[in-house]
Amino acid sequence: MGGMRAGRREFIQSAFATETAAVMHSSSREEGKKLGIPGPYPGRVIAVEHSASIVGGAYQHGPVQQMTQRGMKELTGARSWQDAWRVFFEKGDVVGIKVSPVGGPNLCSDPLVLGSVFDGLNQAGVSNRDIIVFNRYREEAVECGIDKCLPSGVQFQAASERYDTVQLDMGGYDPGQYMEMALIKPGENPNDPHYRRSYVAKIVTQRVNKIINLPVLKHHQSAGVTIALKNMSHGFVNNVNRSHLTPTLNACGTFIPAVVSLPIIRQKVVLHIADAIKASYHGGPGGNPKYIWEHKTMYFGTDPVALDKTGWKVIEAKRKEQGMAPIALSKPDRDSAYLNCQVEHIEIAGMLKLGEFSDEKIDVRRLRLA
């Protein structure tokens, strides 16, 4: 017994020494070794506001560029725009950018936000031919014109051609990478593992080594909100509609963190930039015009849980301003049919160490440029 105690003590001392040594290395390149989820800046969220970022419903190039530059420098502590991007990327990386077109043309990833990301990657030495903008459904992105706004060399790829109710087409998905959950659609065979799995897109597993997650800040009927976590969980894998089939058959609360916790996703997603220049507070994920408002803010982080907790509060504040109930207590109406909007997916993701959920551990730095 004494030998076992001594061995355990030595193991703890060794582990502590290793951890201490790791903490001693704090340069940006050393931090780069810890890229992934929650990344080198757990709990840190940078919120950058610019009053002129949208005029007459159109995003404005100069302000958007300023917001992105300031947000990236503030997130990383880098002195320059170039150095900020070099914390995450370098020449030879093949970078995927997950866009968000599900809100339709009224509320989707904007070309100017994408353009600022392309510029940052180029500054870090990543060439356009090594950048892949992607979405699960090609048709969805084409309807928003995302494929038409890409500079020469940048590719657009999709895992599936269009939305369907079966969602088990395998052409664009990796049979060796999946999340399995005891959850199937009515009529499917519960003993067939194919129906119990959501397979990761080959774009994620085989074609890129790093990913930028580019969500839009939105309400969601079944998940409560759709920001960084859900843009990955329902944008990286197939067979997702089993998670929210009907207003009462809803498992988004556990499905979302289960997908994002897959090692292949945790390791590759290194940066989240949430576009909240326009955002929605009800009726999501579609872009219902009567619930869209101009928040004129962008959010930056490596921690999707802290970012989503921050965005959730923003949406709640807007709902309160409009005299609406908090998301978790909301009742079904004609624009949001689900019985329970499962914002608990954010807290469960925190429990799985995908980021910081506790307000005491979240550092939101708010900057107003104009």
Side-chain angles (χ1 to χ4, degrees):
M1 181 67 73
M4 290 178 63
R5 287 177 178 171
R8 183 172 181 273
R9 184 166 57 248
E10 290 170 2
F11 172 79
I12 293 171
Q13 289 172 342
S14 175
F16 178 77
T18 301
E19 184 175 350
T20 302
V23 170
M24 294 295 289
H25 298 286
S26 59
S27 70
S28 63
R29 297 310 299 173
E30 289 296 331
E31 284 183 319
K33 292 181 179 179
K34 297 180 286 186
L35 295 179
I37 296 174
Y41 312 111
R44 184 181 301 177
V45 179
I46 310 301
V48 185
E49 179 184 355
H50 198 304
S51 61
S53 57
I54 185 167
V55 177
Y59 284 49
Q60 301 299 301
H61 177 267
V64 169
Q65 190 76 6
Q66 293 169 30
M67 295 164 80
T68 310
Q69 291 183 0
R70 186 63 184 275
M72 289 296 294
K73 288 193 289 185
E74 189 71 23
L75 174 65
T76 60
R79 293 183 178 181
S80 72
W81 167 244
Q82 184 180 63
D83 288 342
W85 284 89
R86 284 179 171 174
V87 170
F88 303 101
F89 307 102
E90 60 188 1
K91 184 177 181 179
D93 283 335
V94 179
V95 181
I97 303 173
K98 172 60 179 75
V99 290
S100 177
V102 70
N106 286 331
L107 195 63
C108 64
S109 299
D110 190 85
L112 292 183
V113 174
L114 263 173
S116 67
V117 174
F118 298 147
D119 182 51
L121 289 171
N122 294 160
Q123 290 287 324
V126 180
S127 67
N128 282 353
R129 68 176 180 273
D130 289 328
I131 300 173
I132 300 173
V133 174
F134 72 96
N135 189 56
R136 273 189 65 213
Y137 304 123
R138 181 180 302 278
E139 186 177 84
E140 192 177 67
V142 168
E143 287 175 354
C144 292
I146 289 174
D147 60 320
K148 302 292 193 301
C149 69
L150 307 182
S152 177
V154 173
Q155 306 171 55
F156 174 77
Q157 295 186 12
S160 297
E161 190 59 32
R162 61 183 58 86
Y163 175 88
D164 63 52
T165 57
V166 178
Q167 298 196 337
L168 276 169
D169 57 306
M170 290 299 297
Y173 300 90
D174 189 334
Q177 295 283 348
Y178 55 84
M179 184 278 287
E180 186 162 348
M181 177 180 284
L183 178 68
I184 63 168
K185 296 191 283 288
E188 293 178 342
N189 181 1
N191 299 314
D192 185 341
H194 190 59
Y195 296 113
R196 299 158 62 102
R197 293 173 179 173
S198 289
Y199 295 89
V200 186
K202 290 178 182 177
I203 300 163
V204 174
T205 64
Q206 300 177 16
R207 296 172 188 163
V208 302
N209 70 304
K210 291 176 182 173
I211 296 172
I212 300 172
N213 185 24
L214 201 64
V216 175
L217 187 76
K218 294 180 297 185
H219 171 267
H220 194 280
Q221 295 180 46
S222 57
V225 299
T226 171
I227 317 174
L229 289 164
K230 191 174 182 298
N231 199 42
M232 293 183 285
S233 68
H234 286 63
F236 287 4
V237 304
N238 70 358
N239 198 20
V240 302
N241 65 349
R242 63 187 176 128
S243 71
H244 53 330
L245 273 173
T246 72
T248 52
L249 204 171
N250 184 13
C252 277
T254 52
F255 185 93
I256 293 171
V259 172
V260 180
S261 65
L262 290 171
I264 192 74
I265 294 175
R266 293 193 64 164
Q267 293 161 10
K268 290 195 176 185
V269 182
V270 301
L271 178 64
H272 311 269
I273 301 176
D275 176 2
I277 292 175
K278 289 197 298 184
S280 77
Y281 60 91
H282 193 60
N288 190 328
K290 68 181 177 179
Y291 300 119
I292 295 174
W293 92 101
E294 295 179 353
H295 184 46
K296 301 180 179 181
T297 305
M298 292 175 64
Y299 294 88
F300 302 79
T302 63
D303 178 340
V305 178
L307 195 152
D308 279 18
K309 179 75 175 291
T310 302
W312 174 16
K313 288 184 174 183
V314 169
I315 293 172
E316 292 285 35
K318 185 65 179 179
R319 289 174 65 89
K320 183 176 181 180
E321 178 186 300
Q322 298 297 313
M324 301 179 73
I327 292 170
L329 302 179
S330 62
K331 301 299 181 185
D333 61 29
R334 66 179 184 178
D335 294 321
S336 184
Y338 279 74
L339 181 63
N340 296 305
C341 297
Q342 296 182 356
V343 282
E344 62 264 29
H345 74 266
I346 305 173
E347 185 169 6
I348 294 171
M351 293 172 63
L352 292 176
K353 305 300 181 184
L354 298 173
E356 298 290 354
F357 179 80
S358 170
D359 290 340
E360 290 73 25
K361 295 182 178 180
I362 297 177
D363 174 22
V364 182
R365 304 180 186 180
R366 300 188 182 276
L367 307 171
R368 180 174 293 178
L369 302 188

